[in-house]
Amino acid sequence: MSLPPPTGQPVLADGGMPAPPPGMGAGDEEGWHRLSARMLLVHPVRALMSMAVPLVLVVFGVSRGDNGPWLWFVVVGAVLAVVFGVLAWFFTTYRFTSEQLQLRTGVLSRKVVTAPLDRIRSVDLESTPIHRVLGLAKAKIGTGVDTSQIELDGLTRQQGADLRVFLLRRSHVVDTGDSPSTEAPAATDADAGATADRTGEEELARINWGWLRYAPFSLSSLVVVAGAAGVLGQFGDDLPFDEVSAAQGAWEWVIARSLVLLIAGAVVALLLSWVLVSTASYVLNWWNLRLVREPGGKIRLSRGLLTTRSQTIESAKIRGVLMTEQFLLRFVRGAELTALATGVGTGGTTRLLPPAPRRVVEQVGHELLEEDGALTMALTGHGPKARRRIHVSQQWGSLFLAVLVAVPTYWIDVWWFASWPWWVPLAALGAVGLLNLAIAEASWRNLGHGLTQDHVVVQTGAIIRSREVLERAGIIGWVLHQSFFQRRLGLADLTATTAAGNERLVAPNIPVGAAIELADAATPGMLDRLRA
């Protein structure tokens, strides 16, 4: 959305003065507005937070007697960061013309960013804890053409709510050809993402705290806990156990009694940490979750405890959905839901539902697709040749380990397992082989494709099973790719290219005949040139 400096004139009211959206103020003589002066309190805090790591390093350096010139460098750097943060407020202005939203930023290097008002498709509102204390919000405005957004960081809650209604209603007027209106109802809801006008809203989902039972089954939380345990393990030798006689005595008692007891305690601590971290993360991110369909075809998601977020997606930009079922979630029949949209969200994806009951995810997904069956239908498998291909590919790692184990005897001293009994490497090799066998079998059983009246469905994955549903009208091309081994088996990777999500939908290891049949049925006429 970055363009050369615009030449458009400000929107004029009857008195000849600029007429911004409701609640945005009058601005200067050219219609330029500054963000709220309360941001002068936010910028210094952000600057100091950005200097937190250097300051901590300095504290450790001073505590060890190395207080040299580094302390002065950090202090001067922190002061300069605060000064530039304050200057950023003075040099950030925005205005509305008859056709554009314009934003000027930069202290040393000036930049003007513009967005056509009739192309704005999303206005996302976000409030961090410091924003909420000061009654502020950040507005992220996107056109839906790409992932770039104009950020107005420092609007009041009232201004943010009014701006969202004004811009989205204006774009709806342009799309539908209704009579233009520059008025928008004032928003009085305390939440930055809510407005007073809820007439005609259709609620698709609301948080149910019974869903908290699904939080510990998210693998992402386990990764966080395992990483923290690894860090503690790296610095465990530096902890002052020797200085605390009681702790040292308890440690020696545990070691003297049983190694099994120590391992069991570590496992219990890991599980408890996993549950606590996953539950806390779930509450912080999905507090007060509400997913609604607004008049005019807008989908709005609001959530968050400390940092509140309100995301808006135009229904016409949603090209499909992605339902993911992580390995542990499948045991409790849980799933997650993500929207695939054009030029909206992170990489064209917007996460709509946290780990929740699969039936809820399926229901909400079908509401967004405006078609039933895509997330519940039985899929067409890819046959025994695909099974053979997946198993062979999965066992390459096992083959590599087998080569390592089978090295000549006079080289065995090179390897780290040389001092182990001969059966240990073989047992490890067998365990890895069985694990790869199970993963490959699960990957083949989860693999499949399907076609509904309006959507193409592809399911893949072993550890994380993903069912991706893409609107047939959003497919702009097909790619058929075959590796050397796939050609011998008559298989291929079929890719549907699109502008939504990760910009492609891949059906791997599909028989060539089935691939051509699927592509031809999904987009009739697109393959006619290839046949000619």
Side-chain angles (χ1 to χ4, degrees):
M1 292 186 294
S2 297
L3 298 175
T7 59
Q9 295 300 317
V11 181
L12 299 181
D14 294 338
M17 295 298 293
M24 306 301 290
D28 60 17
E29 64 278 3
E30 296 183 354
W32 291 99
H33 306 267
R34 279 198 175 92
L35 299 169
S36 173
R38 302 172 202 171
M39 288 298 294
L40 292 174
L41 300 176
V42 177
H43 286 304
V45 173
R46 284 181 176 172
L48 292 177
M49 291 179 62
S50 66
M51 299 296 295
V53 174
L55 288 175
V56 170
L57 295 178
V58 167
V59 169
F60 277 103
V62 171
S63 64
R64 297 185 180 183
D66 183 18
N67 55 357
W70 291 106
L71 178 61
W72 292 106
F73 284 134
V74 173
V75 171
V76 172
V79 172
L80 290 177
V82 172
V83 171
F84 273 95
V86 173
L87 290 177
W89 177 83
F90 284 101
F91 286 93
T92 300
T93 56
Y94 66 95
R95 74 172 179 179
F96 294 89
T97 71
S98 58
E99 298 179 352
Q100 294 178 336
L101 165 62
Q102 305 170 359
L103 174 67
R104 296 190 306 193
T105 59
V107 178
L108 300 179
S109 177
R110 300 289 286 162
K111 180 174 68 172
V112 177
V113 183
T114 65
L117 294 179
D118 59 349
R119 297 298 302 169
I120 290 176
R121 293 295 181 268
S122 66
V123 181
D124 301 338
L125 303 179
E126 178 180 312
S127 294
T128 64
I130 188 172
H131 280 83
R132 297 176 67 183
V133 169
L134 298 175
L136 300 176
K138 178 197 293 186
K140 298 180 179 180
I141 302 166
T143 60
V145 177
D146 51 36
T147 58
S148 61
Q149 294 178 312
I150 290 182
E151 293 190 3
L152 299 180
D153 188 3
L155 302 175
T156 65
R157 292 178 180 175
Q158 184 76 31
Q159 290 175 339
D162 287 344
L163 180 65
R164 190 185 78 86
V165 174
F166 173 81
L167 292 178
L168 295 181
R169 179 167 295 182
R170 181 185 176 93
S171 64
H172 173 65
V173 166
V174 173
D175 290 340
T176 59
D178 295 337
S179 300
S181 173
T182 58
E183 295 298 327
T188 58
D189 198 300
D191 177 69
T195 62
D197 182 13
R198 295 185 179 274
T199 304
E201 283 187 353
E202 177 189 358
E203 185 172 273
L204 303 180
R206 181 188 290 270
I207 189 65
N208 183 338
W209 291 115
W211 299 352
L212 270 178
R213 66 183 184 272
Y214 295 96
F217 295 93
S218 175
L219 296 177
S220 57
S221 301
L222 180 60
V223 172
V224 173
V225 173
V231 172
L232 291 176
Q234 292 292 329
F235 294 97
D237 296 336
D238 297 332
L239 297 177
F241 286 128
D242 295 336
E243 301 177 4
V244 183
S245 58
Q248 183 178 3
W251 181 263
E252 292 176 351
W253 180 86
V254 171
I255 295 296
R257 290 298 182 273
S258 174
L259 181 61
V260 175
L261 182 61
L262 178 63
I263 296 176
V267 171
V268 171
L270 178 63
L271 291 177
L272 289 177
S273 301
W274 180 11
V275 172
L276 291 176
V277 170
S278 59
T279 303
S281 176
Y282 198 101
V283 172
L284 289 174
N285 287 298
W286 299 100
W287 178 271
N288 202 26
L289 163 68
R290 191 166 181 265
L291 182 67
V292 300
R293 177 183 281 115
E294 297 181 329
K298 302 293 191 299
I299 302 297
R300 177 165 57 84
L301 171 70
S302 56
R303 61 186 176 92
L305 178 58
L306 298 180
T307 298
T308 61
R309 294 180 175 88
S310 175
Q311 299 172 279
T312 306
I313 310 173
E314 187 179 10
S315 296
K317 293 295 181 180
I318 297 179
R319 294 300 187 181
V321 297
L322 172 65
M323 183 177 70
T324 56
E325 302 168 271
Q326 299 183 24
F327 177 71
L328 295 178
L329 272 178
R330 296 207 295 269
F331 286 99
V332 293
R333 296 191 60 79
E336 301 172 76
L337 184 67
T338 301
L340 308 178
T342 304
V344 178
T346 303
T349 62
T350 301
R351 194 176 175 193
L352 299 180
L353 289 181
R358 177 172 174 172
R359 58 178 178 78
V360 174
V361 172
E362 292 171 348
Q363 178 182 354
V364 175
H366 290 154
E367 288 285 347
L368 293 175
L369 296 173
E370 299 181 353
E371 182 183 32
D372 293 334
L375 297 177
T376 56
M377 65 183 297
L379 301 179
T380 302
H382 291 185
K385 293 183 178 180
R387 185 181 196 179
R388 186 194 319 170
R389 165 70 176 157
I390 293 172
H391 275 276
V392 171
S393 300
Q394 191 66 38
Q395 293 297 341
W396 280 112
S398 302
L399 180 61
F400 177 74
L401 290 178
V403 172
L404 292 182
V405 173
V407 292
T409 304
Y410 57 90
W411 283 354
I412 196 68
D413 292 337
V414 176
W415 306 114
W416 56 275
F417 53 76
S419 59
W420 291 13
W422 63 269
W423 55 269
V424 174
L426 294 179
L429 176 61
V432 171
L434 291 176
L435 178 61
N436 286 331
L437 180 66
I439 293 175
E441 184 66 17
S443 180
W444 176 75
R445 289 184 179 277
N446 291 333
L447 182 62
H449 67 273
L451 191 65
T452 69
Q453 182 176 354
D454 298 318
H455 297 88
V456 177
V457 185
V458 173
Q459 182 171 281
T460 58
I463 305 299
I464 300 178
R465 183 168 64 191
S466 301
R467 178 172 289 209
E468 194 166 357
V469 183
L470 180 63
E471 187 180 21
R472 292 164 58 176
I475 298 175
I476 59 178
W478 295 94
V479 177
L480 193 69
H481 178 268
Q482 288 182 290
S483 67
F484 172 78
F485 296 103
Q486 284 179 322
R487 288 199 301 270
R488 296 176 62 87
L489 294 173
L491 302 175
D493 292 340
L494 179 65
T495 302
T497 58
T498 177
N502 59 5
E503 299 184 349
R504 61 176 187 166
L505 174 64
V506 182
N509 294 313
I510 183 173
V512 175
I516 296 176
E517 180 181 350
L518 175 63
D520 191 33
T523 55
M526 188 174 289
L527 304 183
D528 290 346
R529 290 187 178 182
L530 297 179
R531 294 172 175 171

